Amino acid sequence: MRKSYRVKKEQEFQRVFETHNSVANHKFIIYQMNKPGQKHFRVGISVGKKIGNAVHRNWVKRRIRQTLLEVKPQLKSDVDFLVIARPSADGLSMADTKRNLVHALKLAKLLN
């Protein structure tokens, strides 16, 4: 994903957290903040240290990014959201990651 599609700064992460608008399933938590007039969505990905070592955390992040690329045309454009992986997301296959993340996105009503 290009940099324009990412939430990078700590202040931006905190602003989304402070909205307290979140949904969750067993594998992922999604925080969202509406931003009317924004050209496209922006996403931040967080994988905590409870998920193995750096190799495992990067592996989970790559799978999340790939899933978001696959559903990109269906995502709402006027929103910033954060995807937080729970420890149970470690070791999921690509198909399971996609199924669980799409489920969480549907719960958050981020898919058109």
Side-chain angles (χ1 to χ4, degrees), residues 55 57-67 94:
V55 174
R57 292 191 297 272
N58 287 327
W59 184 77
V60 171
K61 283 189 261 187
R62 280 195 305 268
R63 289 180 183 253
I64 292 170
R65 277 194 296 268
Q66 181 60 37
T67 299
M94 184 63 202

Short mmCIF file of all heavy atoms in Angstrom, two decimals, residues 55 57-67 94:
data_model
loop_
_atom_site.label_atom_id
_atom_site.label_comp_id
_atom_site.label_asym_id
_atom_site.label_seq_id
_atom_site.Cartn_x
_atom_site.Cartn_y
_atom_site.Cartn_z
N VAL A 55 9.59 -11.84 13.45
CA VAL A 55 9.27 -12.57 12.22
C VAL A 55 7.78 -12.88 12.16
O VAL A 55 7.12 -12.66 11.13
CB VAL A 55 10.11 -13.87 12.12
CG1 VAL A 55 9.68 -14.70 10.94
CG2 VAL A 55 11.59 -13.53 12.04
N ARG A 57 5.34 -11.36 13.82
CA ARG A 57 4.55 -10.12 13.74
C ARG A 57 4.55 -9.57 12.32
O ARG A 57 3.49 -9.16 11.81
CB ARG A 57 5.10 -9.07 14.71
CG ARG A 57 4.88 -9.45 16.16
CD ARG A 57 5.17 -8.31 17.11
NE ARG A 57 6.54 -7.85 17.10
CZ ARG A 57 7.51 -8.34 17.83
NH1 ARG A 57 7.26 -9.35 18.66
NH2 ARG A 57 8.73 -7.84 17.79
N ASN A 58 5.69 -9.56 11.65
CA ASN A 58 5.74 -9.09 10.27
C ASN A 58 4.94 -9.99 9.34
O ASN A 58 4.30 -9.53 8.40
CB ASN A 58 7.19 -8.97 9.79
CG ASN A 58 7.88 -7.80 10.41
OD1 ASN A 58 7.27 -6.78 10.67
ND2 ASN A 58 9.17 -7.94 10.66
N TRP A 59 4.96 -11.28 9.60
CA TRP A 59 4.21 -12.26 8.81
C TRP A 59 2.71 -11.96 8.91
O TRP A 59 2.00 -11.95 7.90
CB TRP A 59 4.55 -13.64 9.34
CG TRP A 59 3.96 -14.80 8.62
CD1 TRP A 59 4.36 -15.33 7.44
CD2 TRP A 59 2.86 -15.59 9.07
NE1 TRP A 59 3.59 -16.41 7.13
CE2 TRP A 59 2.65 -16.58 8.11
CE3 TRP A 59 2.05 -15.55 10.18
CZ2 TRP A 59 1.65 -17.54 8.23
CZ3 TRP A 59 1.05 -16.50 10.30
CH2 TRP A 59 0.86 -17.47 9.33
N VAL A 60 2.24 -11.67 10.13
CA VAL A 60 0.82 -11.34 10.33
C VAL A 60 0.49 -10.03 9.62
O VAL A 60 -0.55 -9.91 8.95
CB VAL A 60 0.48 -11.28 11.84
CG1 VAL A 60 -0.91 -10.72 12.06
CG2 VAL A 60 0.61 -12.65 12.47
N LYS A 61 1.36 -9.02 9.73
CA LYS A 61 1.11 -7.73 9.07
C LYS A 61 1.04 -7.87 7.56
O LYS A 61 0.20 -7.25 6.91
CB LYS A 61 2.20 -6.72 9.44
CG LYS A 61 2.04 -6.14 10.82
CD LYS A 61 3.00 -5.01 11.03
CE LYS A 61 4.20 -5.49 11.79
NZ LYS A 61 5.12 -4.43 12.19
N ARG A 62 1.91 -8.69 6.97
CA ARG A 62 1.88 -8.89 5.52
C ARG A 62 0.56 -9.51 5.08
O ARG A 62 -0.01 -9.13 4.06
CB ARG A 62 3.04 -9.80 5.08
CG ARG A 62 4.36 -9.09 4.97
CD ARG A 62 5.38 -9.91 4.21
NE ARG A 62 5.58 -11.23 4.75
CZ ARG A 62 6.50 -11.56 5.66
NH1 ARG A 62 7.29 -10.63 6.15
NH2 ARG A 62 6.62 -12.79 6.08
N ARG A 63 0.06 -10.45 5.86
CA ARG A 63 -1.22 -11.08 5.52
C ARG A 63 -2.39 -10.10 5.64
O ARG A 63 -3.31 -10.13 4.84
CB ARG A 63 -1.44 -12.32 6.36
CG ARG A 63 -0.49 -13.43 5.94
CD ARG A 63 -0.68 -14.69 6.74
NE ARG A 63 0.30 -15.66 6.33
CZ ARG A 63 0.00 -16.74 5.61
NH1 ARG A 63 -1.23 -16.97 5.23
NH2 ARG A 63 0.95 -17.59 5.27
N ILE A 64 -2.33 -9.24 6.64
CA ILE A 64 -3.38 -8.22 6.80
C ILE A 64 -3.34 -7.26 5.62
O ILE A 64 -4.38 -6.94 5.03
CB ILE A 64 -3.22 -7.47 8.14
CG1 ILE A 64 -3.51 -8.41 9.31
CG2 ILE A 64 -4.13 -6.25 8.19
CD1 ILE A 64 -3.15 -7.84 10.67
N ARG A 65 -2.15 -6.78 5.26
CA ARG A 65 -2.03 -5.85 4.12
C ARG A 65 -2.52 -6.50 2.83
O ARG A 65 -3.21 -5.86 2.03
CB ARG A 65 -0.58 -5.39 3.96
CG ARG A 65 -0.20 -4.26 4.88
CD ARG A 65 1.10 -3.61 4.48
NE ARG A 65 2.23 -4.50 4.57
CZ ARG A 65 3.01 -4.65 5.63
NH1 ARG A 65 2.77 -3.94 6.71
NH2 ARG A 65 4.02 -5.48 5.61
N GLN A 66 -2.19 -7.77 2.61
CA GLN A 66 -2.62 -8.45 1.38
C GLN A 66 -4.15 -8.57 1.35
O GLN A 66 -4.76 -8.34 0.31
CB GLN A 66 -1.97 -9.83 1.27
CG GLN A 66 -2.36 -10.59 0.03
CD GLN A 66 -1.97 -9.86 -1.25
OE1 GLN A 66 -0.92 -9.22 -1.32
NE2 GLN A 66 -2.81 -9.95 -2.25
N THR A 67 -4.75 -8.89 2.47
CA THR A 67 -6.21 -8.98 2.52
C THR A 67 -6.84 -7.63 2.23
O THR A 67 -7.82 -7.55 1.47
CB THR A 67 -6.66 -9.49 3.90
OG1 THR A 67 -6.11 -10.79 4.11
CG2 THR A 67 -8.16 -9.55 4.00
N MET A 94 -3.57 -17.89 5.10
CA MET A 94 -4.02 -16.69 4.39
C MET A 94 -5.55 -16.69 4.26
O MET A 94 -6.20 -15.66 4.44
CB MET A 94 -3.35 -16.63 3.01
CG MET A 94 -3.69 -15.39 2.24
SD MET A 94 -3.11 -13.92 3.09
CE MET A 94 -4.17 -12.70 2.37
#
